[in-house]
Amino acid sequence: MEKEKVMLSKFNVETYLKDGDAVVAKLKEVEAVADKVHDKGYENIFLLGMGGTYDELEPIQYIMNKYSEVEVHLANAAELNVLGNKRLKKGSVVITASASGDTKEIVEAVEWIVKEGIEVVAFTKPETPLGKLATTIITAPVTTGQCEYSYLMFDVLALRLLNRRNEFPKYDAFIAQTKNIFHDLVDIREKFDAKADEIAKAYALEPYSIFVGSGALWGETVLFSMCILEEMQWVRTRAVSSPDFFHGTLELVDKDVPVFLFKGEDECRKLDNRVEAFAKKFTDKLVVIDTAEYAIDGLDPEFRMIVSPMILTALVTERLASYYETYTKHNLAYRRYYRQFEY
Amino acid sequence: MEKEKVMLSKFNVETYLKDGDAVVAKLKEVEAVADKVHDKGYENIFLLGMGGTYDELEPIQYIMNKYSEVEVHLANAAELNVLGNKRLKKGSVVITASASGDTKEIVEAVEWIVKEGIEVVAFTKPETPLGKLATTIITAPVTTGQCEYSYLMFDVLALRLLNRRNEFPKYDAFIAQTKNIFHDLVDIREKFDAKADEIAKAYALEPYSIFVGSGALWGETVLFSMCILEEMQWVRTRAVSSPDFFHGTLELVDKDVPVFLFKGEDECRKLDNRVEAFAKKFTDKLVVIDTAEYAIDGLDPEFRMIVSPMILTALVTERLASYYETYTKHNLAYRRYYRQFEY
């Protein structure tokens, strides 16, 4: 049976794949940075984020905690600037990112961290405040800002570090099996597209929605709920992790309250299942988006957890958001406050 | 001028002070536990919580990060049960709590943790599932469940551990200066009482409210928003930290949207001030509750950060909640789902 051609609105497949190819071609350089960091040696790792990048680094912490004995901290840049952290030392390595290169809190943090002689690997552009400060930079060779490009580069940096520690022996297989992932992520978009339209049509104008996720998908759950729906759509959301859902938020569930569950493919899926079973009984507005329903050709089942945030971001942060925009009639690019003036 | 007598509704001062005295008398035992743990030695510390206890342990992590080089992790019990953590080893010490002693996720975690030969200090009652599992237990000799009793006992355990590491030399002064703290916390309640009534009257029926906090108050901010307003009042809330507020949630602020800012007295106050300055301009419904306005007699300014969660919990989790109940006409003890059946 021939696959029906789906036109993806507001999404340029050609540009997407071109950028994707460039990201894949860049991975050798990412690997070399990991090798350099490993060869130099380090005591512990600080993942340094703010807003969306914090959320994107969350699954990297998950991956490291799963596979490795390494001491890893996920730090919010604004908090680190006021508090410091006594575990952050000369022997630490900091991994951070800012596509714009001018995220205020991150630039401020990297400035003092570098002064203390600490290695900072930053995913950013060279001619930016962050690009000028970091000790090592990796520049995504992309013209569009899809989160999955960042995820893949972060993954490769992290997995190579673990591989060199003999904690992730299947590194080469991961690289080989993800080289066409952006093509898969187009197919995944096409498969989900009609459902995205339907979900947005049903729920975009709801006065309040609960978003539940966990494990490797928790960061992307917050990213979608906070950085997309709150920031870009002014939609009232409550993001809560699957375990926390049962310690307060559950009492808000009613037949008219939308509950979005982003089901992942890691150890925490068990916790997601519990939310699903509960929500099925008590709301008529349950939306389950399960990354397991979206294939990546030829991928080892063990790697599904690692790519699950890339799948979710393609589904919701890109596709679903674009349909929300259609129904809220609120342009995703419009902000009333964020970065509009000094505050 | 003689102080006007304030009658605190639904609050028994006599019982509160009696329980408080019992907690203060118990601190020698808490100290002895810390000494035992220190003398045995430990590699790192896991604070193990779930729901409200997770939130109450958050400031303990804050205190440890501020004063100490010790490696400390705050772990969600449900996640730890499915994921494990390779940093959790024989040489770790786990600190946990459950007033009821039967918090499912914590009982499950402590069961396997103890089997691995790891020391678990639990604040709980002896004749409970948790009490029977933990290697060391500390029982709060109280008849009521005010969070500040837990905070003080957690603080003393943590501060004594740091003291023995030579990272908190003022331990004895802290103990001496907080021996009447529950009396101060009655005065604080009296001072805030009319304001609590006024705030609840104005906002208890709002369809959506934003709660902002940071640093040592972040845990209590989530506790009030999630465990009290969501769970016990079915009020729709969005808790967000002061730094994260500027990465999404700010766009939801409008003149009709209530923003509650819980201002603390630690390094993050700077981040709270930024939220306050912003919110003042864009909502007519800003509520600032600033722990700095509530005195603890004879307390070293350095200790204000440590006691700030106790002040906030007295103000909001106890006083404000009781007035919410009055205006929502929703009994704080009533749940439709939580612990009502298996899920």
Side-chain angles (χ1 to χ4, degrees), chain B residues 87-292:
Chain B
R87 303 293 300 170
L88 180 64
K89 314 172 205 184
K90 268 234 158 62
S92 301
V93 57
V94 174
I95 297 170
T96 191
S98 166
S100 63
D102 66 356
T103 308
K104 226 164 125 172
E105 299 91 336
I106 289 183
V107 171
E108 185 185 334
V110 171
E111 186 156 15
W112 64 261
I113 292 168
V114 166
K115 271 190 194 139
E116 294 189 8
I118 297 165
E119 168 79 25
V120 176
V121 177
F123 291 86
T124 192
K125 293 184 202 76
E127 294 307 312
T128 62
L130 178 60
K132 288 175 189 165
L133 287 167
T135 51
T136 304
I137 69 166
I138 300 168
T139 305
V142 294
T143 55
T144 59
Q146 305 301 335
C147 299
E148 55 262 45
Y149 299 144
S150 302
Y151 279 129
L152 184 61
M153 290 190 295
F154 297 172
D155 285 339
V156 168
L157 183 69
L159 294 172
R160 181 63 173 184
L161 286 171
L162 301 189
N163 173 257
R164 294 293 308 275
R165 297 170 56 89
N166 302 317
E167 294 172 327
F168 188 73
K170 292 184 176 177
Y171 173 80
D172 290 334
F174 179 82
I175 295 292
Q177 291 173 22
T178 51
K179 68 175 193 297
N180 289 316
I181 194 163
F182 298 112
H183 292 264
D184 294 305
L185 288 167
V186 172
D187 294 345
I188 282 171
R189 282 172 161 88
E190 290 175 355
K191 181 178 171 185
F192 179 65
D193 196 63
K195 194 172 168 188
D197 188 357
E198 189 190 299
I199 295 169
K201 191 172 181 180
Y203 303 117
L205 300 175
E206 284 283 346
Y208 169 82
S209 305
I210 298 172
F211 286 83
V212 193
S214 73
L217 295 187
W218 173 236
E220 187 65 27
T221 305
V222 175
L223 191 153
F224 179 66
S225 147
M226 181 169 88
C227 304
I228 307 295
L229 293 190
E230 287 196 334
E231 182 184 316
M232 305 185 185
Q233 290 289 291
W234 308 357
V235 164
R236 295 173 179 185
T237 67
R238 162 61 159 135
V240 65
S241 72
S242 299
D244 278 351
F245 173 83
F246 289 104
H247 289 266
T249 315
L250 79 168
E251 289 288 338
L252 269 309
V253 176
D254 207 340
K255 65 180 180 30
D256 292 326
V257 173
V259 175
F260 286 73
L261 172 63
F262 296 156
K263 268 181 89 165
E265 298 171 71
D266 53 59
E267 292 78 359
C268 291
R269 187 174 178 90
K270 208 178 137 182
L271 309 176
D272 301 338
N273 285 336
R274 201 176 162 216
V275 174
E276 187 175 10
F278 177 91
K280 262 184 186 162
K281 281 189 220 152
F282 301 109
T283 176
D284 297 335
K285 298 180 176 178
L286 172 63
V287 177
V288 178
I289 295 179
D290 183 350
T291 60

Side-chain angles (χ1 to χ4, degrees), chain A residues 86-319:
Chain A
K86 291 182 197 291
R87 303 294 299 170
L88 180 64
K89 315 170 206 188
K90 267 236 157 62
S92 301
V93 57
V94 173
I95 298 170
T96 192
S98 167
S100 64
D102 65 357
T103 308
K104 224 163 123 170
E105 299 91 336
I106 290 185
V107 171
E108 184 185 334
V110 171
E111 185 156 16
W112 63 262
I113 292 169
V114 166
K115 270 189 196 142
E116 294 190 8
I118 298 166
E119 170 78 25
V120 176
V121 177
F123 290 86
T124 193
K125 294 184 201 75
E127 294 307 312
T128 62
L130 178 60
K132 288 174 190 167
L133 285 168
T135 51
T136 304
I137 70 166
I138 300 169
T139 304
V142 294
T143 54
T144 59
Q146 305 301 335
C147 299
E148 55 261 46
Y149 300 143
S150 302
Y151 278 129
L152 185 61
M153 290 190 296
F154 296 170
D155 286 339
V156 169
L157 183 70
L159 294 171
R160 180 63 171 184
L161 286 172
L162 301 189
N163 173 257
R164 294 294 309 277
R165 297 170 56 91
N166 301 316
E167 294 173 326
F168 189 73
K170 291 183 174 178
Y171 173 81
D172 290 334
F174 178 83
I175 295 293
Q177 292 173 23
T178 51
K179 67 177 194 297
N180 288 316
I181 195 163
F182 298 111
H183 292 264
D184 295 305
L185 288 166
V186 172
D187 295 346
I188 282 170
R189 283 173 160 87
E190 291 175 354
K191 181 177 170 185
F192 180 65
D193 197 63
K195 194 173 168 186
D197 188 356
E198 192 189 298
I199 295 168
K201 191 173 181 179
Y203 303 117
L205 300 175
E206 284 283 347
Y208 169 81
S209 304
I210 297 171
F211 287 83
V212 194
S214 71
L217 296 187
W218 173 237
E220 187 65 25
T221 305
V222 176
L223 191 151
F224 179 65
S225 147
M226 180 170 87
C227 304
I228 306 295
L229 293 190
E230 287 195 335
E231 181 184 316
M232 306 186 186
Q233 291 289 290
W234 307 357
V235 164
R236 294 174 179 185
T237 68
R238 163 58 160 134
V240 65
S241 72
S242 299
D244 278 350
F245 174 82
F246 289 104
H247 289 266
T249 315
L250 80 168
E251 289 288 337
L252 270 309
V253 176
D254 207 340
K255 65 182 183 27
D256 291 326
V257 173
V259 176
F260 286 73
L261 173 63
F262 297 156
K263 267 180 89 164
E265 298 172 72
D266 52 59
E267 291 79 359
C268 291
R269 186 175 179 88
K270 209 178 136 183
L271 309 177
D272 301 338
N273 285 337
R274 203 177 161 216
V275 175
E276 186 175 11
F278 177 91
K280 262 185 185 159
K281 282 188 220 153
F282 301 108
T283 175
D284 297 335
K285 298 181 176 178
L286 172 63
V287 177
V288 179
I289 295 180
D290 182 351
T291 61
E293 292 172 8
Y294 298 88
I296 304 284
D297 256 9
L299 193 76
D300 195 320
E302 186 187 333
F303 301 151
R304 292 286 311 180
M305 172 277 273
I306 302 168
V307 306
S308 62
M310 299 169 71
I311 297 174
L312 185 61
T313 202
L315 297 178
V316 301
T317 295
E318 196 277 307
R319 276 295 83 195

